[in-house]
Amino acid sequence: MTVSARDRLRRRTDVLRPLPRVGTACLLGLLTVLCGQALQPAVLSYATGSLVDGVAGGARGAWLPSLLLLGGSLVTAQTCDLLGNVLRSLAARRIDGSRRDTVAALVLGAPGIAPLEAPAVQDDLLLASARQTSNWTESTPGQAAVAQLRLCFRVVQVGACCLVLARYSWWLVLGLVASVLVARHVLSRNTLAIAEVAVSGAPAARRTRYWQDQAVDPGAAKETRLFGLQGWLTARWRDSFLAYVEPIWRRAGELGPRQWTALAVVGVAALTALGAIGSGAIRGEVSSGGLGATVTAVIAVLGLAASDSDTVAAAGGVPGAAALHRLGTHLSPDPPVFPARVAAAPARTGSRPPLVRLEHVGFRYPGADRAVLDGCDLEIRPGEVLALVGRNGAGKSTLIKLLTSLYRPDTGRITADGEDLTAVGADVWRRQVAVVFQDFVRYGLSVEDNVALGAPRLPMTPELFDATAARSGSETLIRGLPDGPRTVLSPSFAGGVDLSGGQWQHIALTRALYAVRAGARVLVLDEPTAHLDVRTELEVFRRVVHGLENVSVVLVSHRISTVQQADRIACLDGGRIAETGTHEELMAHGGVYAELFARQVSDRKALRDATAGEVKPV
């Protein structure tokens, strides 16, 4: 793909755009240091030539100003090197921190999770995340910005050195600069071309990182060793890495001849210049001091044509800047339709739950062959316990994500008390909803923090924590932990502990009930008792499902014993609600629910018979 000069300039500008975020004092200091470093070669060349001419001339004291200038130049160079290392590191770190904040704000501000699940967005997150990488074709935004700034001052350096050369030969300046600019152009294009190949390999890079994480993740260590996966895992890691880097190596090999040709042109120009200067010195047209000054200046000018870390770092930051721009397009939050409602949302505490309706809702995952939901109608009545059942893959979890505004319907709408949730706003609506997902997050924080995350806007007090834990039935579990509510739920930290699946489910339930305390009026439970025994399950339903007032409960479960306790059951089949009613009504109807119930009873009976047949008397 051919990239125009205008596009290349825009890309370089995008890399420099974050520089103001380093702070005024740091930026001014960095600019001053880079300016000093850029002028130093020209000053050194001039001072060296003047010093040699002054000494050769024999006039008393004629060489002293040149010596002072030379000494000052060397001291300034050392000072700029010391300060430059500190300021460049500080500027790069501040830019990288700002980039991480920007990416985090985009991700956390996205109204739903559908954009985050797109593979293209995942690739852009990898490119824009400002993570340090060992791949030479990539660099962090801070590294790229500082490198591009240094390249800009390299132009200043060349210009200053050309002024020194112009004192002796203007045609020498023109020929040398022209060859250097050609080489620089070829070098920049090659580096950007290789970086573009690296960007196209972002999926392979993500797979490489995945296999790397699997190799070092403690959670995967058990199965890795139990199944003897070490060699298999290493092979997958190596294959993914090679799939990523081999196209880069191949492209670099293709561009090599062009780059070597450009450097050969520079070499010819350099030899011609140095030969002309030497010839002039032999003929006496160039003084000894002039010879030293021009040779030093020529070497400084030739440095612009060299491939160095700044060139690679600046080019390596271009894909990340472009990825950030794309993320801003894909993840930009929607403006609230009624901003005033955000502040008023908690005021619903104690009020009745809303009447929620799904009206002809349709939803299809991007790239999927068929819709998960198609013309789905469902009513969640205030204060009722509604069970949602269906075969595996029927779309129950998808419906829950639509209900909680994590996804948006492709067709139809979802309303609360007659108002479209899109108009209400996702942030406002989610304050009215508490959810225990089937794959809930296990935060490596204290028990108290795990619970408080259900409604971080509500100040946590010991009394409130105890009341919520009592409601969920987790008070005994929490009292038995080493440090009670302050126990960290992660063995990775000193004094931390891990919990069983059922214990973690209790914590997740407590977190959801804390959200109910903060004003949520719709409680969604997606397989909330999957890790609990039958007795504990019944206790949870007594305390949680049937013990709450002014709360609608949506229960997703495969257990018939659980579903039978609901006020109403909705059966999802074929992308829509096939039937609703009580357990008795649906069994009498003889539809999908009755088939699911009969199959589960048959499976349980077969399992009991098989188990009983294996039991032998001692």
Side-chain angles (χ1 to χ4, degrees):
M1 181 179 64
T2 303
V3 181
S4 65
R6 182 176 181 180
D7 287 338
R8 286 195 296 272
L9 179 61
R10 178 183 55 79
R11 291 178 177 184
R12 298 297 190 183
T13 305
D14 288 342
V15 170
L16 289 172
R17 203 177 299 278
L19 276 174
R21 300 175 185 176
V22 305
T24 303
C26 180
L27 182 57
L28 288 177
L30 182 59
L31 292 175
T32 301
V33 167
L34 291 177
C35 184
Q37 290 176 326
L39 296 176
Q40 195 268 341
V43 174
L44 179 63
S45 299
Y46 174 79
T48 300
S50 298
L51 178 61
V52 173
D53 285 341
V55 172
R60 177 178 294 183
W63 49 269
L64 184 59
S66 300
L67 180 62
L68 293 176
L69 181 60
L70 179 61
S73 172
L74 294 175
V75 171
T76 300
Q78 292 295 322
T79 304
C80 287
D81 285 344
L82 292 174
L83 291 177
N85 290 333
V86 176
L87 292 173
R88 287 196 301 272
S89 177
L90 179 61
R93 290 178 181 274
R94 287 183 175 178
I95 291 174
D96 290 342
S98 175
R99 170 66 66 84
R100 284 189 285 268
D101 289 344
T102 301
V103 172
L106 286 172
V107 172
L108 296 175
I113 64 173
L116 298 175
E117 295 175 342
V121 172
Q122 289 294 315
D123 292 341
D124 284 340
L125 285 173
L126 178 63
L127 291 170
S129 61
R131 289 183 58 175
Q132 185 66 47
T133 175
S134 58
N135 179 17
W136 68 272
T137 63
E138 299 175 28
S139 57
T140 69
Q143 292 170 340
V146 172
Q148 185 60 51
L149 189 62
R150 292 182 68 183
L151 290 176
C152 291
F153 275 93
R154 292 262 291 278
V155 177
V156 176
Q157 172 184 315
V158 170
C161 290
C162 286
L163 292 177
V164 176
L165 290 173
R167 295 179 58 198
Y168 302 96
S169 174
W170 62 267
W171 67 265
L172 186 65
V173 173
L174 292 179
L176 195 61
V177 169
S179 64
V180 167
L181 290 179
V182 169
R184 189 73 204 174
H185 173 72
V186 172
L187 178 64
S188 298
R189 289 188 62 180
N190 286 2
T191 308
L192 284 174
I194 294 173
E196 288 174 358
V197 175
V199 171
S200 66
R206 279 202 295 126
R207 285 194 295 271
T208 301
R209 187 158 294 173
Y210 170 79
W211 291 120
Q212 180 181 1
D213 292 342
Q214 291 302 304
V216 301
D217 181 31
K222 299 187 296 296
E223 293 192 5
T224 299
R225 285 150 182 79
L226 179 63
F227 299 138
L229 302 179
Q230 293 93 330
W232 183 87
L233 194 59
T234 303
R236 293 298 186 278
W237 186 356
R238 182 183 60 251
D239 292 344
S240 296
F241 175 74
L242 291 177
Y244 176 49
V245 298
E246 282 182 343
I248 299 174
W249 297 340
R250 187 163 50 250
R251 185 58 173 157
E254 294 170 353
L255 297 174
R258 185 197 306 174
Q259 185 163 325
W260 285 112
T261 301
L263 293 178
V265 172
V266 174
V268 171
L271 291 175
T272 302
L274 293 174
I277 294 171
S279 298
I282 293 174
R283 294 192 302 268
E285 298 173 357
V286 178
S287 65
S288 300
L291 178 63
T294 52
V295 170
T296 306
V298 166
I299 294 174
V301 171
L302 292 176
L304 186 63
S307 175
D308 57 10
S309 59
D310 287 336
T311 303
V312 175
V318 170
L324 181 65
H325 177 74
R326 291 192 296 269
L327 287 176
T329 302
H330 293 304
L331 302 181
S332 56
D334 296 331
V337 181
F338 302 111
R341 294 187 181 179
V342 176
R348 293 199 59 145
T349 304
S351 62
R352 74 166 183 84
L355 172 62
V356 181
R357 286 195 176 99
L358 281 73
E359 302 175 2
H360 309 295
V361 169
F363 181 81
R364 180 194 303 266
Y365 286 100
D369 296 332
R370 63 178 184 84
V372 180
L373 300 178
D374 186 12
C376 181
D377 294 296
L378 179 64
E379 185 176 81
I380 304 172
R381 300 162 187 168
E384 79 168 342
V385 177
L386 174 68
L388 183 64
V389 301
R391 298 182 177 89
N392 289 332
K396 301 184 293 297
S397 295
T398 301
L399 190 150
I400 295 303
K401 292 174 182 176
L402 287 164
L403 177 62
T404 53
S405 292
L406 295 175
Y407 292 156
R408 283 187 173 180
D410 296 330
T411 58
R413 65 172 189 162
I414 304 175
T415 65
D417 287 336
E419 197 162 16
D420 195 321
L421 295 188
T422 303
V424 173
D427 289 339
V428 176
W429 170 242
R430 287 173 191 153
R431 294 193 181 194
Q432 303 300 314
V433 182
V435 187
V436 178
F437 289 107
Q438 187 174 0
D439 54 346
F440 59 84
V441 180
R442 306 183 182 195
Y443 296 98
L445 305 171
S446 68
V447 177
E448 189 175 60
D449 287 340
N450 264 274
V451 173
L453 288 176
R457 64 188 178 277
L458 180 65
M460 175 66 77
T461 63
E463 295 76 18
L464 185 57
F465 179 87
D466 292 341
T468 307
R471 168 64 70 182
S472 68
S474 60
E475 69 274 24
T476 303
L477 163 64
I478 296 172
R479 280 199 305 267
L481 295 175
D483 201 18
R486 290 180 293 277
T487 302
V488 176
L489 300 182
S490 173
S492 300
F493 298 97
V497 301
D498 198 5
L499 301 180
S500 67
Q503 290 172 324
W504 268 114
Q505 204 146 36
H506 268 297
I507 299 299
L509 282 167
T510 308
R511 179 163 58 237
L513 291 181
Y514 188 72
V516 172
R517 289 268 178 174
R521 288 293 162 260
V522 178
L523 176 61
V524 180
L525 304 174
D526 189 359
E527 297 288 355
T529 59
H531 297 284
L532 303 180
D533 57 61
V534 176
R535 179 175 298 179
T536 307
E537 176 186 9
L538 294 175
E539 181 65 15
V540 166
F541 272 85
R542 186 184 67 81
R543 290 171 176 263
V544 178
V545 178
H546 294 294
L548 296 175
E549 297 180 357
N550 291 326
V551 176
S552 302
V553 178
V554 179
L555 171 66
V556 180
S557 179
H558 287 91
R559 293 187 180 181
I560 297 299
S561 59
T562 300
V563 171
Q564 286 179 268
Q565 301 181 54
D567 299 327
R568 191 163 55 96
I569 302 169
C571 186
L572 186 61
D573 185 61
R576 59 187 62 188
I577 300 299
E579 52 191 5
T580 61
T582 63
H583 172 75
E584 291 75 16
E585 291 171 345
L586 294 180
M587 290 300 296
H589 182 262
V592 178
Y593 176 81
E595 178 186 343
L596 292 174
F597 180 81
R599 182 178 300 173
Q600 189 167 130
V601 171
S602 175
D603 290 344
R604 288 184 176 180
K605 182 178 183 301
L607 179 62
R608 284 196 304 268
D609 293 343
T611 304
E614 294 175 358
V615 177
K616 299 180 180 179
V618 179

